[in-house]
Each structure stands twice: as structure tokens, then as C-alpha cells.
Amino acid sequence: MATSKVLPKIAIIGGGPAGLTLASLLHKSLPSSSSPVTVFDLRPAPSASTLHIPSGSLDLHRGSGLLAIGKCGLTSKFKALIADCSEQIIVADKSGKIWYQNHAQNGERPEISRNALTYLLLSTLPPDLIRWNTKVLSVTPGSERKWKITFGNKEQDEFDKVVGADGAWSKARDAIPRASKPFYSGASYLTFTIRNLSTNYPSLNSLVGNGSYSAFSEHKALISQRGAMGSVRLYLMMTIPSSSYFSDSGLDSLPPAELKKKLLGEEDFFQGWGNELQELISAGCDAVEDKMEARPLYMHPMGDSWTHTPGITLIGDAAHLMTPSGEGVNCAMLDALELSEAITSSLETEGGLDEAVKAFEEKMWKRSKELMEDADQMLKIMLEDKNAPQQFCQMFQKG
Ligand SMILES: Cc1cc2nc3c(=O)[nH]c(=O)nc-3n(C[C@H](O)[C@H](O)[C@H](O)COP(=O)(O)OP(=O)(O)OC[C@H]3O[C@@H](n4cnc5c(N)ncnc54)[C@H](O)[C@@H]3O)c2cc1C
């Protein structure tokens, strides 16, 4: 790209799917000799072996996640990394009766693990463009219309442009006027990772198949996805009035045997579910190695926006946190793609960077409002509709 303009010094806070996609696209389109982009992430740098650690699966869609992968020049590398979880979908009720199944492998919604997606995006970036183990504590106005970032080690630096891609509890979001805080959605979930399901539990292996499997009853959902090394990731999602119930009640630190007794034997949990589904939950409890992952789900108000603030913006979950609906990561990667285009085109034309970012935000707010409404609707069907399996069946049949 040829530009006579001085390149802005850009900080991307967060090396999740949104931040790494943006970094990849900017690194590709801005002059390489003086890349003005730095990504900051609080996590340690992932190693090559991370790829083999089960991490949950994300389905990427044609007009968003896959489009961004293509623009990063990663389509063929992506295809080599999607073998762990197929596109298969099975929907059942709590007895295990199947209401919908689709084993098509048409490339419409290929699944990639979180760790593989990180690995893939990192392959496009020079290692020194990312500062791992770097927690951002705050973002505040700096000198000459810049923004000052304060890090966990108390160091500070100033940037012309800050992009908050730091997820639900974004520090960049805290710096923006009228940006709301996330609120509890009323649903919480437990996560289990059962390694080597294929060899250790052959009957459960055929129950869940090689893609995604879900079963629903009122106020409860069981969702499983295949992962690295023959594993399965199992999510138990429930309507729970208090966001701190799992920790207040001590459920998140129960030993596996007691946890199993509670989940399988109490009416508030999975008592009365079919034998095979109970066996799956039991295998999940047996697989707990340390403290279980038990989390409340938060969201931003639907149709949320904020006062446009020169020099700082948000993408991904930091901009529009929604309950899981299969769109979060796709929306995050499309945000990154559109913001990268806005930044690059503002450097090529006479228009200012800030005007381009403002136009980007308006488009993103409109798009994310619809997706947040769909996600909320999906959560209501999953957890409040007696006929959730039938509803999902109709939804999938309509396409
Ligand atoms: C259980 C569950 C299942 C899901 N399944 C799907 C699915 O199947 N499909 C789908 O599309 N979406 C799914 N989602 C949603 C999806 O995970 C998110 O929408 C997506 O990860 C958003 O990407 P992001 O980069 O915006 O944020 P994140 O993935 O949250 O990344 C934020 C990054 O910022 C870093 N960070 C945070 N705070 C700081 C700080 N202060 N300083 C420095 N770094 C910081 C974090 O370490 C992290 O790397 C699911 C969500 C959940 C909870």
C-alpha cells in the first residue's frame, strides 16, 4: 500500500479472535517496514503444543468468519485444521430421543477449535508484534489527543488509536462515555472436557457423533462438541437466578463424586434425564481434574451503542457481548475485517481516520443489534421453551 500519510500508532488490546484478525489484516495492508500496530494480551504466549489441548469449537460462517480468514490469506491453512469437529448437528430431548440430525459436510459452517484459530492467525504475524503476559489496567486520555495505556507492571505508553478487543470486561470500554457494563443474562454453565472419548467411552462416542450434539429440557441444555485428540467438550447450561450461585453454593469446587450426585440426583439439575445422557454427564464429572469451569453468562443491552470518541473504538465481545448463538466469533472477525478496511482506506484517501471509524461503528451497531436479538431469542428457546428440540428442528429445516 502506498501512502504519504504518517501512520497512526495503533494499540490493539486483546489477542482473541477479534484482535488477532485485526492485527493480521493491518499487518498485511500497512507498509511492513514500520508496522505501527502492537497487540497486548494478558495471557502467556501459546506454544505449538497448545494446538493439541481441547479448547472448544467455533463454527465459522461464509459472510463473516470465513470471509475474514480468506482476507487474511489463510483459507488453505484453515482447511487443514478443521478435522477435530465435523459440521454434524444432532438435536435431542432430555430422554435422548433425536428430533433432528444433519450429517452434511458442505463447508457452510466448518468448525475450528479456539486454539487452532489462535495458532492460525498468529502464523501471519511477526512474534514481536504481540506482547503477551501484558495486562492492561486502564485506558485514559493522554497528551495531544492520544490515549494512554497503563499496564499491569505500571508502565505506560501513548497511542494515536486504541482498539479494545479485550472481551467482556474490556478496559478500553471503560474509557468510552455512555458504554454500558455487561449484565447477567440469567444463564450459567459448567464446562467439562472428556479426553479420549472415542477409546474410553465407545457408546458415548457413538451417541454424540463426530460433530455437535445438543439435548434440551426446560431450564437446562446439554451441548457437546468434539475436539482435539478424540476429546469432547461438554457444556451444561442452566437457568440460574444468581450470577454467583455456583461459587456461593460451593458447587464449582465439589469433588467429582459429590458433583455427580448433585447433577444427576436433584430435580434442579439433570435428574430424570435419559440413561445415556446421564452417563455422559457422569463421565464429565469423572474427568474434572482440578477446579471445574463454572461461569455465568453476561451480555450487553441489545441495540447498545456509545458516544463516538475520537482515537478509541471497540470490536468483538468488547463491543457487543451476547449469549452463545454461534455468531459471537463470526461477528468479532467481521468487525475486525471492516475496521481494518476503514483504517486502511482512510490512509489511502483524503477522509480522516476518525470519520472512517465513526462510519464503521454505525454499521457495526446496526449489524450487532440484530445478532444480539437473535442470540437472546435462542437463549430463550434453549432454556425456557418446553419444545426446544422441536423448535430447533424447525429452525434448522428452514436453514
Ligand atoms: C461457552 C461459550 C461458547 C461459545 N461458542 C461459540 C460458538 O460456537 N461460535 C461463536 O461464534 N461464538 C461462540 N462463543 C462466543 C465467542 O467465544 C466470542 O464471541 C469470541 O471469543 C469473541 O472474540 P473476542 O476476540 O472479541 O474476545 P475474546 O475471545 O474474549 O478475547 C479477548 C482477549 O482479550 C484478552 N484480554 C482481556 N482483558 C485483557 C486486559 N485487561 N489486558 C490484556 N488482554 C486482555 C484476553 O486474554 C483474550 O485473549 C461462545 C462463548 C461461550 C462463553
Side-chain angles (χ1 to χ4, degrees), residues 13-18 40-43 57-59 114 134-136 165-167 171 189 225 235 297 316-317 324 326-330 332:
I13 309 177
F40 301 96
D41 198 290
L42 53 81
R43 294 175 299 162
S57 193
L58 301 162
D59 56 317
R114 261 175 216 279
T134 306
K135 183 174 182 171
V136 168
D166 45 345
K171 295 295 177 197
Y189 68 97
Q225 293 172 323
Y235 300 102
L297 285 167
D317 280 6
E327 290 293 347
V329 84
N330 287 286

Side-chain angles (χ1 to χ4, degrees), residues 65-103:
L66 289 176
L67 182 65
I69 289 287
K71 297 277 184 183
C72 292
L74 289 169
T75 301
S76 54
K77 278 190 180 174
F78 171 83
K79 286 184 179 157
L81 287 171
I82 56 174
D84 291 333
C85 185
S86 78
E87 289 174 66
Q88 169 210 275
I89 297 174
I90 301 178
V91 178
D93 60 25
K94 73 176 203 178
S95 74
K97 177 181 168 185
I98 292 175
W99 286 85
Y100 177 83
Q101 53 188 319
N102 185 344
H103 301 278

